């Protein structure tokens, strides 16, 4: 894979029990600055603990900048907690806060879904974990299952760059004080270990297809095994073909998907794909012990990816996402073991014979849900037969000359 750099130290974090203590420890060790991006910053026990750590950092003279998605903030960030952060000196901004002023515009759905943080340009956190307690799972059985990584090394240069760029765009759009200092951080390219890693982001300008292309390339090169764990899994045709082609080459493919219903439309639509996958010899495991929020994959015991991007139209079509790709047998082995334990302890296989016996009502609901999503994609300019990628009005007119959103 191009642009994969050596020199990283990467540690796997399993859920909030690992993530939040590691994040707070890094905040408490900060000397100069903390940059945090998240889709959700909840006013709950974990959110309060993170907020208190950020405030402690400000009180020591650390510059703290927090960027929360406008929709996620509307749902979870209370005015009280927001006020406490800003009053203490935290530079808090919302990404696209206009969630209600433009209710029928497609662009309002382009959210900040990535979860990124860096401290002093030396330590970073990347993954799928929001600032929300693992036990805060309304309608679901806690704890929430998710992953992140703590990383040191050359990848910090990319993380600092993309976080500053997005923050500056938001500040410009909201006529806010520009936070981008002229001086850079000299430590962001330091070698910290021997692990190969790469940051992959998805945006609406230069990297619209980047994360899916990483998956497609890895699937095309797979030789032995693919394990994908994904909370919201509704791939386009190219992704489906890549999975089936790998299975036909003799690659053992396991999809760990969530059994519990959160979004009914997506839940039933996904199931229209099961028969095709099962007929191709792809193993489907539905995790039913609790709420699966993971977005990770392991291929051939060497390639691993962890991040915020699901394999669905929202992540591949509208949201800003960030994944880290790691080439390292030890790290990939740790993630693989964690996924196999989830399968053994909390999943149930979908068997082809049983799937054929599902009721007519279930079949009709799935077909209706799938058709509805296809209509939505057509209305928004996406072509599901070519991988769920959108074509905006500007893009149709200029064929590639896009406006940053």
């Amino acid at each position: 894979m191009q642009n994969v750099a050596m020199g990283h130290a990467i540690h796997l974090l399993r859920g909030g029990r690992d993530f939040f203590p590691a994040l707070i420890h890094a905040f408490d060790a900060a000397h100069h600055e903390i940059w945090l991006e998240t889709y959700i910053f909840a006013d709950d026990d974990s959110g309060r603990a993170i907020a208190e750590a950020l405030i402690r950092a400000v009180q020591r003279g650390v510059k703290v900048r927090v960027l929360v998605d406008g929709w996620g903030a509307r749902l979870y960030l209370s005015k009280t907690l927001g006020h406490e952060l800003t009053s203490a000196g935290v530079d808090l901004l919302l990404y696209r806060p206009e969630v209600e002023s433009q209710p029928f515009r497609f662009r309002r759905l382009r959210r900040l879904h990535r979860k990124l943080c860096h401290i002093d340009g030396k330590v970073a956190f990347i993954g799928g974990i929001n600032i929300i307690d693992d036990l805060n799972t309304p309608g679901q059985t806690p704890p929430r299952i998710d992953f992140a990584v703590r990383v040191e090394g050359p990848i910090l240069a990319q993380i600092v760059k993309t976080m500053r760029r997005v923050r500056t765009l938001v500040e410009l759009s909201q006529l806010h004080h520009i936070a981008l200092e002229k001086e850079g951080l000299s430590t962001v390219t330091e070698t910290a270990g021997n692990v190969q890693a790469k940051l992959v982001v998805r945006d609406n300008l230069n990297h619209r297809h980047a994360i899916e292309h990483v998956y497609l390339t890895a699937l095309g090169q797979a030789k032995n095994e693919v394990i994908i764990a994904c909370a919201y899994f509704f791939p386009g045709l190219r992704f489906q073909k890549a999975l089936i082609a790998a299975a036909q080459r003799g690659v053992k493919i396991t999809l760990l998907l969530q059994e519990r219903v959160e979004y009914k439309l997506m839940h039933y639509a996904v199931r229209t794909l099961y028969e095709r996958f099962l007929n191709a010899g792809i193993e489907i495991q539905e995790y039913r012990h609790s709420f699966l929020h993971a977005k990770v994959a392991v291929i051939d015991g060497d390639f691993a990816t962890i991040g915020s991007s699901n394999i669905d139209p929202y992540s591949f079509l509208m949201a800003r996402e960030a994944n880290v790709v790691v080439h390292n047998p030890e790290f990939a082995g740790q993630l693989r073991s964690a996924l196999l334990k989830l399968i053994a302890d909390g999943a149930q296989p979908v068997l082809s014979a049983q799937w054929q016996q599902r009721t007519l009502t279930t079949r009709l609901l799935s077909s209706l849900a799938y058709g509805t999503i296809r209509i939505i994609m057509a209305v928004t300019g996406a072509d599901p037969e070519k991988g769920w990628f959108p074509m905006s009005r500007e893009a149709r007119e200029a064929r590639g000359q896009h406006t940053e959103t």
Side-chain angles (χ1 to χ4, degrees):
M1 180 181 297
Q2 295 180 347
N3 301 322
V4 177
M6 289 288 293
H8 298 91
I10 297 185
H11 301 279
L12 181 64
L13 304 172
R14 299 169 175 85
R17 66 179 184 181
D18 291 346
F19 178 68
F20 295 122
L23 198 60
I24 291 171
H25 178 76
F27 289 169
D28 286 340
H31 294 290
H32 305 293
E33 59 182 6
I34 296 171
W35 292 60
L36 173 66
E37 289 181 10
T38 184
Y39 180 68
I40 292 172
F41 198 131
D43 188 351
D44 59 17
D45 289 344
S46 293
R48 286 267 164 187
I50 294 298
E52 290 168 3
L54 292 173
I55 292 171
R56 289 196 300 271
V58 171
Q59 292 170 344
R60 297 195 312 273
V62 176
K63 182 63 180 178
V64 177
R65 300 181 177 94
V66 177
L67 184 61
V68 182
D69 180 75
W71 185 261
R74 177 177 179 268
L75 296 175
Y76 292 95
L77 181 62
S78 69
K79 292 182 179 179
T80 300
L81 183 57
H83 179 71
E84 290 177 12
L85 288 167
T86 55
S87 296
V90 173
D91 193 350
L92 173 65
L93 277 180
L94 301 186
Y95 181 90
R96 290 188 174 273
E98 68 284 2
V99 294
E100 292 182 330
S101 61
Q102 300 172 333
F104 301 108
R105 295 189 64 179
F106 174 63
R107 286 186 178 183
R108 68 187 281 271
L109 299 175
R110 291 178 176 169
R111 311 311 316 178
L112 180 78
H113 192 243
R114 64 191 198 179
K115 294 84 179 172
L116 280 174
C117 180
H118 86 77
I119 298 92
D120 293 337
K122 295 182 178 180
V123 178
F125 294 85
I126 312 166
I129 304 177
N130 287 293
I131 308 300
I132 185 171
D133 200 294
D134 280 353
L135 302 181
N136 187 346
T137 57
Q140 305 286 342
T141 302
R144 182 184 298 102
I145 303 298
D146 212 340
F147 297 92
V149 295
R150 179 187 184 275
V151 57
E152 299 172 86
I155 199 175
L156 266 295
Q158 298 170 271
I159 294 170
V160 169
K161 181 179 179 181
T162 188
M163 294 188 75
R164 289 189 174 203
R165 181 174 179 274
V166 171
R167 176 92 186 192
T168 299
L169 288 171
V170 174
E171 289 170 339
L172 287 170
S173 69
Q174 299 182 20
L175 301 178
H176 187 78
H177 167 71
I178 303 299
L180 182 61
E181 293 88 357
K182 293 181 180 179
E183 65 273 13
L185 293 171
S186 60
T187 57
V188 295
T189 58
E190 288 185 349
T191 297
N194 61 357
V195 177
Q196 297 183 65
K198 176 184 178 181
L199 177 71
V200 186
V201 299
R202 190 233 162 252
D203 59 29
N204 294 304
L205 183 60
N206 296 321
H207 308 288
R208 302 178 73 195
H209 308 168
I211 292 177
E212 185 172 23
H213 283 175
V214 166
Y215 270 107
L216 293 176
T217 300
L219 289 172
Q221 297 173 349
K223 294 179 174 61
N224 301 306
E225 181 187 58
V226 173
I227 304 175
I228 296 175
C230 191
Y232 309 115
F233 183 81
F234 193 48
L237 190 59
R238 279 189 293 187
F239 203 108
Q240 295 176 39
K241 287 181 176 179
L243 285 170
I244 292 171
Q248 291 173 341
R249 295 195 309 270
V251 179
K252 183 182 187 315
I253 298 180
T254 302
L255 303 177
L256 177 59
L257 311 178
Q258 67 170 322
E259 185 267 347
R260 296 174 179 271
V261 180
E262 187 179 17
Y263 301 108
K264 290 184 178 180
L265 183 65
M266 185 65 71
H267 176 83
Y268 286 108
V270 169
R271 279 151 180 73
T272 62
L273 306 178
Y274 276 21
E275 186 169 357
R276 188 180 189 196
F277 289 149
L278 291 170
N279 289 341
I282 295 172
E283 178 181 328
I284 300 174
Q285 295 278 351
E286 289 192 327
Y287 190 75
R288 53 185 58 191
H289 181 69
S290 61
F291 180 27
L292 179 73
H293 194 252
K295 311 106 168 49
V296 304
V298 179
I299 297 178
D300 289 344
D302 177 72
F303 170 101
T305 183
I306 291 177
S308 63
S309 180
N310 289 291
I311 301 170
D312 72 345
Y314 177 73
S315 284
F316 285 168
L317 183 63
M318 294 175 283
R320 285 188 180 273
E321 305 283 6
N323 282 25
V324 62
V325 173
V326 180
H327 284 273
N328 181 266
E330 181 179 355
F331 179 85
Q334 292 176 6
L335 180 56
R336 180 179 183 272
S337 296
L339 295 178
L340 292 179
K341 181 171 175 56
L342 288 175
I343 292 172
D345 294 347
Q348 184 168 322
V350 177
L351 303 178
S352 182
Q354 294 178 349
W355 191 249
Q356 296 295 336
Q357 298 174 6
R358 65 194 188 282
T359 66
L360 178 60
T361 300
T362 300
R363 292 172 185 264
L364 290 174
L365 285 173
S366 293
S367 296
L368 179 61
Y370 182 77
T372 301
I373 289 182
R374 286 180 64 99
I375 292 172
I376 292 172
M377 294 302 102
V379 169
T380 57
D383 185 349
E385 297 306 315
K386 294 183 180 179
W388 296 116
F389 298 132
M391 183 171 288
S392 65
R393 176 176 57 82
E394 295 88 350
R396 288 194 293 269
E397 292 174 353
R399 297 300 295 178
Q401 298 177 8
H402 306 294
T403 302
E404 176 63 41
T405 58

